[in-house]
Amino acid sequence: MNRDFIGALLQLNAEKGVPQEVLIQTLEQAIESAYRRNAEAPENVVVSIDHESGQISVFREYEVRATEEEIEDPELEMVVAAAQKVDPSVGVGGKVRVPENVTQAQLGRIAAQTAAQVYRQRLREAERDVVYSQYVSREGEILTGVVQRTTENAVVLDMGKGVEAWLAVPEQLPGEAYRIGQHLKIFVLEVRRTTRGPLLVVSRTHRGFLRRLMEMEIPEIYNGTVVIRGIAREAGSRSKVAVESRQPGVDAKGAAVGQRGARIQAIVAELNGEKVDVVLWNEDPAQFVAEALSPAEVIEVRVDDEHRIASVIVPERQLSLAIGREGQNARLAAKLTGWRIDIRSDTGMAAAGAGVRRPSDGETAEEPVEADAEPTS
């Protein structure tokens, strides 16, 4: 061991991205394993490598006991009086290292080969740990991978450094086709350890994917001038996003949509044509429900705070627009706001009499929708 070896470690550090401390610790453990196996050394043998010179030192590490009577195994324990001759600062219950008189020649060729094998194995493990730590910090972010292969259950993407991402069928956008070599943006749900290295579980249908796309495309959202207060999404079809401005004079909806819709269209293109409605968040539930039902016009919203039901009246011509195809618009509005929504037309209400009441079976244009609001973050 010499400075050239330390230089080689530094080169490995640069090539593999493994910290020098981890490399040296791995080598120490490898030599310990080899020495114990080939020299039939006791389990308390410890190997230390000087970070500057590369010098290897071998020690026996003893538990310090107060008296001879407390010692059960002399190979592993030492009385405090003897221990303090080696290290005056050590006390009862501590540990003391006694240098072993060992040379490189004594380790032998087999020991060196064993150390090399263990070192290579542990170096691979250290590399995997470094890569895992790099990716686990990226959970909840958007990354770009290259489509490597497709199976019946998933699309597998190459993320580089031997890392794969698993895009399962339920996490794929409906109707989206994937081709080998295609660069694809994905949202990292989870990073799992495997024997082959980290495996990324990813999605393109998660609400977080839309949130991160908007942060990437809209500077005002990225810097916090405009915040996303909630997202309701039916992936591949339609989404609603509630936004709020944190700075006076900034139009949150206008910033999100962009000039002539340029910003939102870029997001729609990434989502394979999924429609994205941007609505203004309002602390007044009635105003927020009315806004969430856009593009439909709303005449009146009456809220029942106790049961969290919003009874909405819209013009007759706007009834189908407010409900949406197969009830989608009302359903997404309910999920976004957290309110159950009953929609009636103004002519229907006039015919039924004054006041808003709960519609009876067969009379309602839209069945009540159970809300599932997105928490604000």
Side-chain angles (χ1 to χ4, degrees), residues 169-178 205 234-237 271-272 274:
V169 171
E171 304 298 334
Q172 299 172 16
L173 288 174
E176 193 168 47
Y178 306 99
T205 63
E234 294 187 359
S237 179
L271 297 177
N272 197 35
E274 177 182 321

Side-chain angles (χ1 to χ4, degrees), residues 100-158:
E100 286 276 281
N101 186 21
V102 180
T103 65
Q104 290 289 103
Q106 286 177 296
L107 290 175
R109 180 177 299 176
I110 296 176
Q113 289 175 346
T114 305
Q117 292 170 1
V118 175
Y119 178 62
R120 283 193 295 269
Q121 176 185 349
R122 290 184 176 167
L123 177 60
R124 287 193 295 269
E125 293 173 358
E127 284 184 76
R128 286 196 292 267
D129 287 342
V130 168
V131 175
Y132 174 81
S133 64
Q134 289 173 347
Y135 277 98
V136 78
S137 64
R138 308 293 297 275
E139 286 184 357
E141 295 185 11
I142 286 180
L143 301 179
T144 300
V146 179
V147 177
Q148 189 176 60
R149 64 183 185 275
T150 59
T151 69
E152 292 183 359
N153 300 320
V155 172
V156 181
L157 297 98
D158 178 15

Side-chain angles (χ1 to χ4, degrees), residues 35 46 57-62 78 85-87 96-102:
Y35 184 74
V46 177
S57 300
V58 180
F59 301 90
R60 291 274 297 276
E61 191 171 69
Y62 294 87
M78 180 183 291
K85 292 179 181 179
V86 180
D87 181 2
V96 64
R97 289 185 175 184
V98 179
E100 286 276 281
N101 186 21
V102 180

Side-chain angles (χ1 to χ4, degrees), residues 34-259:
Y35 184 74
R36 289 173 181 172
R37 182 180 304 175
N38 292 281
E40 296 183 354
E43 62 186 49
N44 62 338
V45 164
V46 177
V47 172
S48 176
I49 300 175
D50 187 275
H51 290 210
E52 297 294 330
S53 66
Q55 178 67 37
I56 297 178
S57 300
V58 180
F59 301 90
R60 291 274 297 276
E61 191 171 69
Y62 294 87
E63 296 278 349
V64 180
R65 304 296 182 222
T67 64
E68 292 282 357
E69 288 75 15
E70 294 181 15
I71 294 179
E72 297 179 359
D73 187 346
E75 291 289 314
L76 304 176
E77 299 166 307
M78 180 183 291
V79 293
V80 66
Q84 288 179 341
K85 292 179 181 179
V86 180
D87 181 2
S89 65
V90 74
V92 176
K95 293 183 179 181
V96 64
R97 289 185 175 184
V98 179
E100 286 276 281
N101 186 21
V102 180
T103 65
Q104 290 289 103
Q106 286 177 296
L107 290 175
R109 180 177 299 176
I110 296 176
Q113 289 175 346
T114 305
Q117 292 170 1
V118 175
Y119 178 62
R120 283 193 295 269
Q121 176 185 349
R122 290 184 176 167
L123 177 60
R124 287 193 295 269
E125 293 173 358
E127 284 184 76
R128 286 196 292 267
D129 287 342
V130 168
V131 175
Y132 174 81
S133 64
Q134 289 173 347
Y135 277 98
V136 78
S137 64
R138 308 293 297 275
E139 286 184 357
E141 295 185 11
I142 286 180
L143 301 179
T144 300
V146 179
V147 177
Q148 189 176 60
R149 64 183 185 275
T150 59
T151 69
E152 292 183 359
N153 300 320
V155 172
V156 181
L157 297 98
D158 178 15
M159 306 301 295
K161 297 184 179 181
V163 178
E164 291 184 342
W166 185 266
L167 181 64
V169 171
E171 304 298 334
Q172 299 172 16
L173 288 174
E176 193 168 47
Y178 306 99
R179 63 182 186 280
I180 305 302
Q182 175 186 357
H183 286 74
L184 194 66
K185 288 186 174 68
I186 39 85
F187 179 75
V188 182
L189 295 174
E190 181 187 358
V191 181
R192 297 176 181 171
R193 289 183 184 271
T194 71
T195 55
R196 298 177 57 188
L199 174 66
L200 277 58
V201 180
V202 299
S203 173
R204 283 175 61 82
T205 63
H206 195 274
R207 288 175 295 185
F209 184 53
L210 175 54
R211 180 183 293 273
R212 293 301 186 192
L213 282 177
M214 295 188 73
E215 290 175 355
M216 292 170 62
E217 292 290 338
I218 303 165
E220 290 84 353
I221 292 179
Y222 179 79
N223 63 29
T225 304
V226 174
V227 295
I228 297 174
R229 295 300 301 263
I231 296 176
R233 188 179 183 201
E234 294 187 359
S237 179
R238 192 172 186 176
S239 296
K240 285 183 180 287
V241 182
V243 295
E244 179 192 14
S245 174
R246 290 289 176 86
Q247 182 175 315
V250 175
D251 178 6
K253 188 172 180 178
V257 173
Q259 189 173 12

